Amino acid sequence: MFIRNTWYVAGFEHEFDEPFISRRILDVPLVLYRTSQGVYSAMDDCCPHRLLPLSKGKRVGDDMQCGYHGMCFSADGACTSVPGQTNIPAAARVATYPVQARHGFVWIWMGDAGLADPGLIPDVHWHNSPGWASSQGYHRIEAHYTLLNDNLLDLSHETYVHSRTIGNDEEETIAAYTAKVTVEQDSLVRAHREMPNIEAPPFFALVIGHPCRINRWQSAIHLVPSINLTVVGVHPVEEDRTEARIGHVLHLLTPESPGSTHYFWAFVRNYRLDDAELTEGIRKASSATFDEDKEVLEIQQQQMVRMNTSVPNVAIKLDEAPVRARRLLEQRLKHEAEDSRYVVAPPPLVPEHSFAVLEEV
Amino acid sequence: MFIRNTWYVAGFEHEFDEPFISRRILDVPLVLYRTSQGVYSAMDDCCPHRLLPLSKGKRVGDDMQCGYHGMCFSADGACTSVPGQTNIPAAARVATYPVQARHGFVWIWMGDAGLADPGLIPDVHWHNSPGWASSQGYHRIEAHYTLLNDNLLDLSHETYVHSRTIGNDEEETIAAYTAKVTVEQDSLVRAHREMPNIEAPPFFALVIGHPCRINRWQSAIHLVPSINLTVVGVHPVEEDRTEARIGHVLHLLTPESPGSTHYFWAFVRNYRLDDAELTEGIRKASSATFDEDKEVLEIQQQQMVRMNTSVPNVAIKLDEAPVRARRLLEQRLKHEAEDSRYVVAPPPLVPEHSFAVLEEV
Amino acid sequence: MFIRNTWYVAGFEHEFDEPFISRRILDVPLVLYRTSQGVYSAMDDCCPHRLLPLSKGKRVGDDMQCGYHGMCFSADGACTSVPGQTNIPAAARVATYPVQARHGFVWIWMGDAGLADPGLIPDVHWHNSPGWASSQGYHRIEAHYTLLNDNLLDLSHETYVHSRTIGNDEEETIAAYTAKVTVEQDSLVRAHREMPNIEAPPFFALVIGHPCRINRWQSAIHLVPSINLTVVGVHPVEEDRTEARIGHVLHLLTPESPGSTHYFWAFVRNYRLDDAELTEGIRKASSATFDEDKEVLEIQQQQMVRMNTSVPNVAIKLDEAPVRARRLLEQRLKHEAEDSRYVVAPPPLVPEHSFAVLEEV
Ligand code: FES
Ligand code: FES
Ligand code: FES
C-alpha cells in the first residue's frame, strides 16, 4: 500500500530546532532530531524495555532518555546506558531510518536502507533558492494520500471547492478549459490548462494588486508516489507573458497511516520577493484554500471507509490525469512487491526555469 | 431487521421549506427536498463520481450540485450535467425513493417502489385537521426502534420514568390498573387501561387548569412496524365523560440505523384549540417527558450491545402488549423475507372519533 | 486472566455511607450497598427484566428498585416485588457476591462463593489502627493491573517518573542502589533497597520538616495477585534508625476490566499522628505522585494494545522483582484454571512491626 523505497518529507528543516519531534510516518511512530554535530536521526518511538515512547522521555545531550526507567539511546539507535547495570543487553537497541536535509526539508527513507541514495531526493530547490520567496505551512489530512493526489491532479475542483478563494464563481468553470495530460518516464504526470482573458479571482487580484482581466495557466505535476507541484502563472491581459507572475506550489505528501497524510506545502513565487506582507497574505490564503480541500478530502475518506470501497465509481473526462497517476502508482507498488530493491530515479518536475513549461504548449 | 414495504415518516412537511435536508433512513443516507413544482424527492446522499455526499454540495434550481467537481442531479436521480464534457455517462445517476406528503408529514417508501401506494399511508389525520390542535417535536433516540415500541405499549413505566411529569408518585402505580390487550388484523395492538378517581398528575393538572381528582384512561395503540398512538382521556371526577379532554399522542418512529431511531411526535388535542400558551406548554411538557424516555432507552440499548443480547429476559404481566407486538413484527419480517412484494394495508388506528374507544370498554 | 478466588477491595468503607455505589469489578458491573442492618451487599448491576442497570434506579428501604418498571430486589438478590402482579417469577433474581468490611475497606470475592473465608482477607490493619495515621485516595488507571504491579515492584522509576516529587534529580539514581529480592510461600515478593546518606528529596524534606541529608530505605512488597505495600523509612543521618519515620503505602489494586484498574491507596505513618496538615500534605503529594504513574502506565497500556504485545521486551536487572511476581501470578492462574477451588492463604505482608524488615537486612 505504501511505496517504501523513496524519499518522503519528514518535516521542515526549521522544526528540528526543537530538542526532538515525534511523528508517525508510513504507520511507524518515530522520534526525530538533529544532534549537536548536525546529524539527523529518526528512530522508532518505542523503548525496547517496556514500550514507552521515547518521545515521552527527554533529550539528554545527543541521546534520548526513556521517561520510565531511564535507558538512553544515541542517534544511531544504540543503547548507551541502563540504570542499575554496566553491561548493555544485546537486544537493547532501536531501529533507525536514513534521514537527509535538503531544500529546507528533512527527508526520510523508510525502505531498504542500503538504497537510500541522497541523489534520489526530488529536486524542489525553489523552496529555498535565491530568486524565489516562500510561504509555507502544514496540514494534517485524515485521508489516504492518493485522494490528495487525485485532488491536486484535477484542479477543476477549484470552481466548486474554492469558489471563495482561488476559484471564480462568476465566469466559466475551470473544467471548461481542457487540460492536456502527458506522462513521462513511468513516474510523472502533467496536466496543463490555459485560461486566457478571464476575470481575476480574489487570490490573483491580491497577487496582481487590483481587480483586472488576466491570462492564467496552470500545470498540475505529479511525481509518483506523492510529490506534487502546481505551477500557476498569471498576467494582466495587456501585459506580456514574459512578465508573468509565476507561483510554484509544492504539495509534499507523506503518508502518516492508511487513513491520514502529512501535507507539507509551500507557495514559492518569482515576484515581489521582499514583500513580507504579500508572503504572509499568500500563506494565509493558501492555508484557507487547503482548509477547504481538507474538509472535502476527509468527508471522502469517511465515505470510502463507510462504504468499504475505493474511488472512482463513475469515470469522467476530468479524471484523466488522476487515473493515469493511479495506474503508475499501482505499477510501482507491483514492482516493489516483486523486488524489494526496486528503485526509481525521479525525473525533474520541471526544467530549471518553469517558463519552459509554457513553451511546450 | 427492517420492514421495507411500508411508509415511514421522512420528516415534518415544514422541514421541506429548507433547500434540502439530509437524513439517514433504514441505514441509507438520503438527501431530500421539494422542487419548485412541489414534487418531493429523496435520493441517495452520495455522488456516484467520488462518493461526496450531495448534501455537502448545494441546491441549484431543482437540482443538487455536487460540491467537489460540480456534477448535477435532478429530483428523479438523473445526472443533468458533467463539467468538462457534454455527454452524460450512463452510470451517472443516483437511486431515488418514493415520497409523499400527507397529514403534515412527508412519508418515504424504502421497499419495492412499484408497491408504493399512497393509499397505504397510515391515517394520522388529527395532526393537521380542523377540531384538533397540535404540539409537535422530534427526538433522535440512540436505540433500536423496537425498544421504543416496547416503551410505548407498556405505559406503566410512567410511574418510574416519568414520576416528575406525567407519572404520579403519590398514589397507586399505573401498573395497579390492569390493561386490556387486543390484537387486530395481525398488525395492530391496543392496550387500554382505566384509572378512575385519581389525583391529577402535574401534566394533567396543567391540562385542566388546576389540581383535582380525575377519571383518567389511556390506550396504547401500535401499528406494525413503528406507528404508535397514545389516546389519553381525562376529566375531573365531577364532570361527565363526554366532556373529557382527549389527547392523541402520535409517536411516529423511523429507523435511522440498527442502533438509532427518528422519533417524530405530536400531541394533538380536542380542547382549547386556540390557546397558544397551552400548545406551547404541552410541547414543552411532552418534550421533557420524551427526554426521560430517551435516557432510559439509550441506556437499555447500550446494555443490549454490551451484553450482546436482546430483551426481554424475564417475562412479567406488563409485557403482554409489547410481546404481542414483537410477535406480529417477527411474523411480518418473515413474510417480507419470503416474499419481497408482501404488503399489508394498515387498519385504522381508531374509529373516526376516538371516544369510540371508550365505548368498547 | 483474573484470579477469582481471592479478596479484592471493592471500596473504602466510608463510600458505603451513600445509598449505593456502582462499580465494575473483574469486568462485572456491580451495584453495592450497606443495608440498614449493616449487611454489605454486591449484586449484578442489571435488572433481569429489560437489562436496565439497577444503579439507574433508586434505593427503597433495603431494596434496589429498578428505574424502568419498578421491580425491587433485596440485598440477597431476590426479587421482592413486581408491579402489576403478586407472584414473583422464578427467574427474577440477580447474582450476588460475598462482601466483607475489614481494615476500613470493603472486600469482595468474585470466585467460588463457598470458599469466601473472611480469614483470607489480607492483613492491612495499619490502615485503621491506633499508632498509625492515614492519608488515602483513589485513582482509576486505564491499564492492566499487572502493569501497576511491575511499577510498584521496581521503585527505580522514581528517578525518572517522579523527579519532581519523591525522586531526586540531583544525586545518584535509585537504580544505583541494588535491591535485594526475596520470594515467600509462592505468593509474596519483596524488594528491599538501602540508600544511606542522600539529599532528602522534596517529599521527605516535607516529612522531616526541613532539607537535610538522610538515610533512606524502601521495601516493595507484593502479594499475588494485586496487593502491594511500600515500606518507606527515612531519618536524618545524624539521628538513630529507631527514630525513623516509617510510612506504609498500601496500593490495593482491583481489576476493573482487562484494560483498567481501581487503585485504592493509603499512606499510613507512625509519626506526628495528630498533624492534620501533614496528613493532608501527604495526601496531596501522594496523589500527585500517582498522577505521574497514571500517565506512564496508561501510555504503556496503549502501546501494548497498539502493538498487540505484552511486556517485557528486553530484560534488565531492575526487572528481577517484577519478573518474579509475574511468574508467581502465572503459576497461580494455572492452578486456578486447573482447579476452580484452588485457594491460597496470604502470608503476612510484614511482621507486626515493620522495623523487623530492617533487621533482616
Ligand atoms: S520502559 Fe524505557 S527504560 Fe523501561
Ligand atoms: S465527487 Fe461529485 S462531482 Fe466529483
Ligand atoms: S427493566 Fe427493570 S423492571 Fe423492567
Side-chain angles (χ1 to χ4, degrees):
Chain A
M1 149 140 53
F2 299 130
I3 300 293
R4 303 196 80 83
N5 286 336
T6 197
W7 289 102
Y8 290 103
V9 171
F12 289 105
E13 220 179 304
H14 66 76
E15 293 184 275
F16 288 74
D17 297 342
E18 294 298 316
F20 61 86
I21 60 178
S22 70
R23 187 160 283 158
R24 178 180 299 245
I25 291 178
L26 268 56
D27 229 10
V28 180
L30 300 171
V31 59
L32 303 111
Y33 63 103
R34 181 175 56 216
T35 69
S36 56
Q37 305 304 310
V39 175
Y40 286 85
S41 169
M43 61 176 85
D44 281 350
D45 189 13
C46 185
C47 178
H49 179 226
R50 300 271 171 154
L51 308 182
L52 211 76
L54 293 172
S55 61
K56 297 292 172 181
K58 63 181 178 185
R59 174 91 175 266
V60 174
D62 280 345
D63 286 4
M64 289 299 302
Q65 182 186 67
C66 178
Y68 201 170
H69 311 93
M71 286 169 72
C72 288
F73 300 89
S74 56
D76 60 357
C79 179
T80 54
S81 78
V82 182
Q85 65 193 75
T86 47
N87 66 312
I88 307 289
R93 58 173 301 118
V94 286
T96 59
Y97 304 87
V99 187
Q100 285 287 332
R102 185 158 306 177
H103 310 314
F105 296 102
V106 175
W107 304 78
I108 191 166
W109 182 277
M110 300 296 289
D112 184 325
L115 306 171
D117 176 2
L120 301 173
I121 293 174
D123 180 0
V124 295
H125 67 275
W126 314 277
H127 182 240
N128 63 351
S129 290
W132 296 88
S134 170
S135 305
Q136 62 199 14
Y138 167 84
H139 277 63
R140 182 173 174 275
I141 311 279
E142 295 196 356
H144 194 275
Y145 70 99
T146 54
L147 297 185
L148 280 85
N149 286 339
D150 289 347
N151 177 283
L152 292 162
L153 271 165
D154 171 19
L155 300 171
S156 78
H157 74 269
E158 287 180 9
T159 306
Y160 306 98
V161 178
H162 306 305
S163 57
R164 282 156 312 179
T165 47
I166 51 174
N168 191 338
D169 221 11
E170 275 138 59
E171 302 224 359
E172 274 288 34
T173 65
I174 287 175
Y177 305 93
T178 305
K180 181 180 155 201
V181 178
T182 50
V183 172
E184 287 170 39
Q185 295 181 39
D186 285 348
S187 56
L188 198 130
V189 178
R190 286 173 210 269
H192 182 83
R193 175 183 273 128
E194 294 277 335
M195 291 170 281
N197 194 14
I198 63 169
E199 192 67 36
F203 182 82
F204 296 106
L206 167 78
V207 160
I208 290 163
H210 55 84
C212 61
R213 293 194 74 80
I214 57 172
N215 291 333
R216 175 181 174 188
W217 60 94
Q218 58 179 205
S219 290
I221 303 168
H222 170 74
L223 176 67
V224 174
S226 59
I227 298 295
N228 293 276
L229 170 63
T230 313
V231 177
V232 173
V234 290
H235 63 84
V237 288
E238 60 277 10
E239 289 183 13
D240 191 78
R241 190 152 188 159
T242 57
E243 303 293 321
R245 281 73 162 174
I246 304 280
H248 279 195
V249 196
L250 294 166
H251 317 270
L252 308 185
L253 311 179
T254 304
E256 180 185 59
S257 72
S260 58
T261 301
H262 301 292
Y263 181 3
F264 302 94
W265 53 264
F267 188 114
V268 292
R269 67 184 193 273
N270 70 345
Y271 48 90
R272 289 159 65 188
L273 300 185
D274 299 326
D275 186 341
E277 206 176 309
L278 180 63
T279 300
E280 176 59 11
I282 288 177
R283 192 197 61 73
K284 274 198 187 140
S286 301
S287 188
T289 300
F290 302 145
D291 285 348
E292 290 170 338
D293 286 309
K294 178 180 165 74
E295 193 187 336
V296 165
L297 292 163
E298 295 188 344
I299 291 168
Q300 200 187 0
Q301 172 77 15
Q302 288 159 19
Q303 292 285 85
M304 283 174 56
V305 169
R306 189 179 69 72
M307 303 174 76
N308 193 22
T309 183
S310 64
V311 290
N313 286 14
V314 172
I316 60 177
K317 289 220 175 91
L318 295 170
D319 297 328
E320 185 181 354
V323 164
R324 290 203 176 203
R326 280 180 175 264
R327 281 198 206 124
L328 296 184
L329 177 65
E330 272 160 39
Q331 216 172 67
R332 176 88 163 266
L333 282 165
K334 195 161 160 285
H335 285 150
E336 199 176 286
E338 285 162 6
D339 171 12
S340 68
R341 296 181 55 77
Y342 185 80
V343 167
V344 174
L349 292 163
V350 289
E352 171 54 20
H353 195 292
S354 67
F355 282 90
V357 174
L358 312 177
E359 288 150 20
E360 288 173 18
V361 182
Chain B
M1 148 139 57
F2 299 129
I3 300 293
R4 303 198 79 84
N5 287 336
T6 197
W7 290 102
Y8 289 103
V9 171
F12 288 104
E13 221 178 303
H14 65 77
E15 292 183 276
F16 287 74
D17 297 342
E18 295 298 316
F20 62 86
I21 60 178
S22 70
R23 187 159 283 158
R24 178 180 298 246
I25 291 178
L26 267 57
D27 228 10
V28 180
L30 300 171
V31 59
L32 305 111
Y33 63 103
R34 182 174 55 215
T35 70
S36 57
Q37 306 302 312
V39 175
Y40 287 86
S41 169
M43 61 177 85
D44 280 350
D45 189 13
C46 186
C47 177
H49 179 225
R50 299 270 172 154
L51 306 182
L52 210 77
L54 292 171
S55 61
K56 297 292 172 180
K58 63 180 179 185
R59 175 90 176 264
V60 174
D62 279 347
D63 285 6
M64 288 301 301
Q65 182 187 67
C66 179
Y68 201 169
H69 312 93
M71 287 171 71
C72 287
F73 301 88
S74 56
D76 60 357
C79 179
T80 54
S81 77
V82 181
Q85 65 192 74
T86 49
N87 67 313
I88 307 288
R93 58 172 302 119
V94 287
T96 59
Y97 305 86
V99 187
Q100 285 287 334
R102 185 159 304 177
H103 310 314
F105 296 101
V106 175
W107 303 77
I108 191 165
W109 182 276
M110 300 295 290
D112 184 327
L115 305 170
D117 176 2
L120 301 174
I121 293 174
D123 180 0
V124 295
H125 66 275
W126 313 278
H127 181 240
N128 62 352
S129 290
W132 296 88
S134 171
S135 305
Q136 63 200 15
Y138 167 84
H139 278 62
R140 182 172 175 277
I141 310 278
E142 295 195 356
H144 194 274
Y145 70 99
T146 53
L147 297 186
L148 280 84
N149 285 340
D150 288 347
N151 177 283
L152 292 162
L153 271 166
D154 171 19
L155 299 172
S156 77
H157 74 268
E158 287 180 8
T159 306
Y160 306 98
V161 178
H162 306 304
S163 58
R164 284 154 313 179
T165 48
I166 51 176
N168 191 338
D169 219 13
E170 276 139 57
E171 302 225 357
E172 274 287 34
T173 67
I174 287 173
Y177 306 91
T178 304
K180 182 183 155 198
V181 178
T182 52
V183 172
E184 287 170 40
Q185 295 179 40
D186 285 348
S187 56
L188 198 131
V189 177
R190 286 173 208 270
H192 183 83
R193 176 183 272 127
E194 295 276 336
M195 292 170 280
N197 194 13
I198 63 168
E199 193 65 36
F203 182 82
F204 296 106
L206 167 79
V207 160
I208 289 163
H210 55 84
C212 60
R213 293 194 74 80
I214 56 173
N215 291 332
R216 173 182 175 188
W217 60 95
Q218 57 178 208
S219 289
I221 303 168
H222 171 74
L223 176 66
V224 174
S226 59
I227 299 295
N228 293 277
L229 171 63
T230 313
V231 177
V232 173
V234 289
H235 63 82
V237 289
E238 62 276 9
E239 289 182 13
D240 191 78
R241 191 150 188 163
T242 57
E243 304 293 320
R245 280 74 163 174
I246 303 281
H248 279 195
V249 196
L250 293 165
H251 317 268
L252 309 185
L253 311 180
T254 304
E256 180 186 58
S257 72
S260 58
T261 302
H262 300 292
Y263 180 3
F264 302 95
W265 53 263
F267 188 114
V268 293
R269 67 183 193 274
N270 71 345
Y271 48 89
R272 291 159 65 187
L273 301 184
D274 300 325
D275 185 341
E277 205 176 312
L278 181 62
T279 300
E280 176 59 10
I282 288 177
R283 193 197 61 73
K284 274 199 188 139
S286 301
S287 187
T289 300
F290 302 145
D291 284 348
E292 291 169 338
D293 286 309
K294 177 179 166 73
E295 192 187 337
V296 165
L297 292 162
E298 295 188 345
I299 291 168
Q300 202 186 0
Q301 172 76 17
Q302 288 158 20
Q303 292 284 86
M304 282 173 57
V305 169
R306 190 178 69 73
M307 303 173 76
N308 193 21
T309 184
S310 65
V311 290
N313 287 14
V314 172
I316 61 177
K317 289 220 173 92
L318 294 170
D319 297 329
E320 185 181 355
V323 165
R324 290 202 174 204
R326 280 181 174 263
R327 281 200 205 122
L328 296 183
L329 176 65
E330 272 160 39
Q331 216 172 68
R332 176 89 162 265
L333 282 165
K334 195 160 160 285
H335 285 150
E336 200 177 282
E338 286 163 5
D339 172 12
S340 68
R341 296 183 54 77
Y342 185 81
V343 168
V344 174
L349 292 163
V350 291
E352 172 52 21
H353 195 292
S354 67
F355 282 90
V357 174
L358 313 177
E359 287 152 20
E360 287 173 16
V361 181
Chain C
M1 149 141 54
F2 299 130
I3 301 292
R4 304 198 79 84
N5 286 336
T6 197
W7 289 100
Y8 289 104
V9 171
F12 289 104
E13 221 180 302
H14 65 76
E15 293 183 275
F16 288 75
D17 296 343
E18 295 298 315
F20 60 88
I21 61 178
S22 70
R23 186 160 283 159
R24 178 181 297 247
I25 292 178
L26 269 55
D27 229 9
V28 180
L30 300 171
V31 59
L32 305 110
Y33 63 102
R34 181 175 56 214
T35 69
S36 57
Q37 305 304 310
V39 175
Y40 287 85
S41 169
M43 61 177 85
D44 280 349
D45 189 13
C46 184
C47 178
H49 179 226
R50 299 271 171 154
L51 307 182
L52 211 75
L54 293 171
S55 61
K56 297 292 173 182
K58 63 181 178 183
R59 175 91 177 264
V60 174
D62 280 347
D63 285 5
M64 288 301 301
Q65 182 187 65
C66 180
Y68 200 170
H69 311 93
M71 288 170 70
C72 288
F73 301 89
S74 55
D76 60 357
C79 178
T80 55
S81 78
V82 182
Q85 65 191 76
T86 48
N87 67 312
I88 307 289
R93 58 174 300 119
V94 286
T96 59
Y97 304 86
V99 187
Q100 285 287 331
R102 184 159 305 177
H103 309 314
F105 297 102
V106 174
W107 303 77
I108 191 166
W109 182 277
M110 300 296 290
D112 183 326
L115 306 171
D117 175 2
L120 300 174
I121 293 174
D123 180 0
V124 294
H125 66 275
W126 313 277
H127 181 240
N128 64 350
S129 290
W132 296 88
S134 171
S135 305
Q136 63 199 13
Y138 167 85
H139 277 62
R140 183 176 175 274
I141 312 278
E142 294 195 357
H144 194 274
Y145 70 99
T146 53
L147 297 186
L148 281 86
N149 286 339
D150 287 346
N151 177 281
L152 291 162
L153 271 165
D154 170 18
L155 299 172
S156 78
H157 74 269
E158 288 179 9
T159 305
Y160 306 98
V161 178
H162 306 305
S163 59
R164 284 157 310 182
T165 47
I166 51 175
N168 191 338
D169 219 12
E170 277 140 58
E171 302 226 357
E172 274 286 35
T173 66
I174 287 174
Y177 306 92
T178 305
K180 181 182 156 199
V181 178
T182 52
V183 172
E184 288 170 38
Q185 295 180 40
D186 285 347
S187 55
L188 198 133
V189 177
R190 287 173 207 270
H192 182 83
R193 175 182 273 128
E194 295 276 334
M195 290 170 280
N197 194 14
I198 62 169
E199 192 66 34
F203 183 82
F204 297 106
L206 168 79
V207 161
I208 290 164
H210 55 84
C212 59
R213 295 193 73 82
I214 56 171
N215 291 332
R216 176 181 173 189
W217 60 94
Q218 56 178 208
S219 291
I221 303 168
H222 170 75
L223 177 67
V224 174
S226 59
I227 298 295
N228 292 277
L229 170 64
T230 312
V231 177
V232 173
V234 290
H235 62 82
V237 289
E238 61 275 11
E239 288 183 14
D240 191 79
R241 190 150 188 162
T242 57
E243 303 294 319
R245 281 73 162 175
I246 303 279
H248 280 196
V249 197
L250 294 165
H251 317 268
L252 309 183
L253 310 179
T254 305
E256 181 186 58
S257 72
S260 58
T261 302
H262 301 292
Y263 180 4
F264 302 96
W265 53 263
F267 188 116
V268 293
R269 69 184 190 274
N270 72 345
Y271 49 90
R272 290 160 62 187
L273 301 185
D274 300 325
D275 184 340
E277 204 176 311
L278 180 62
T279 299
E280 177 57 10
I282 288 177
R283 191 197 61 73
K284 275 198 187 139
S286 301
S287 187
T289 300
F290 302 146
D291 285 347
E292 291 170 336
D293 286 310
K294 177 180 165 74
E295 193 188 336
V296 165
L297 292 162
E298 296 187 345
I299 291 168
Q300 201 185 2
Q301 173 76 17
Q302 289 159 19
Q303 292 284 83
M304 283 173 57
V305 169
R306 189 178 69 73
M307 303 174 75
N308 194 23
T309 183
S310 66
V311 290
N313 287 14
V314 172
I316 60 177
K317 290 219 174 93
L318 294 170
D319 297 329
E320 185 181 355
V323 165
R324 291 202 174 204
R326 280 180 175 264
R327 281 199 205 123
L328 296 184
L329 178 65
E330 272 160 40
Q331 214 172 70
R332 176 88 162 266
L333 281 165
K334 192 159 163 286
H335 285 150
E336 200 177 284
E338 285 163 5
D339 172 11
S340 68
R341 295 183 55 77
Y342 185 80
V343 168
V344 174
L349 292 164
V350 290
E352 171 53 22
H353 195 289
S354 67
F355 283 91
V357 174
L358 312 179
E359 287 151 22
E360 286 173 18
V361 181

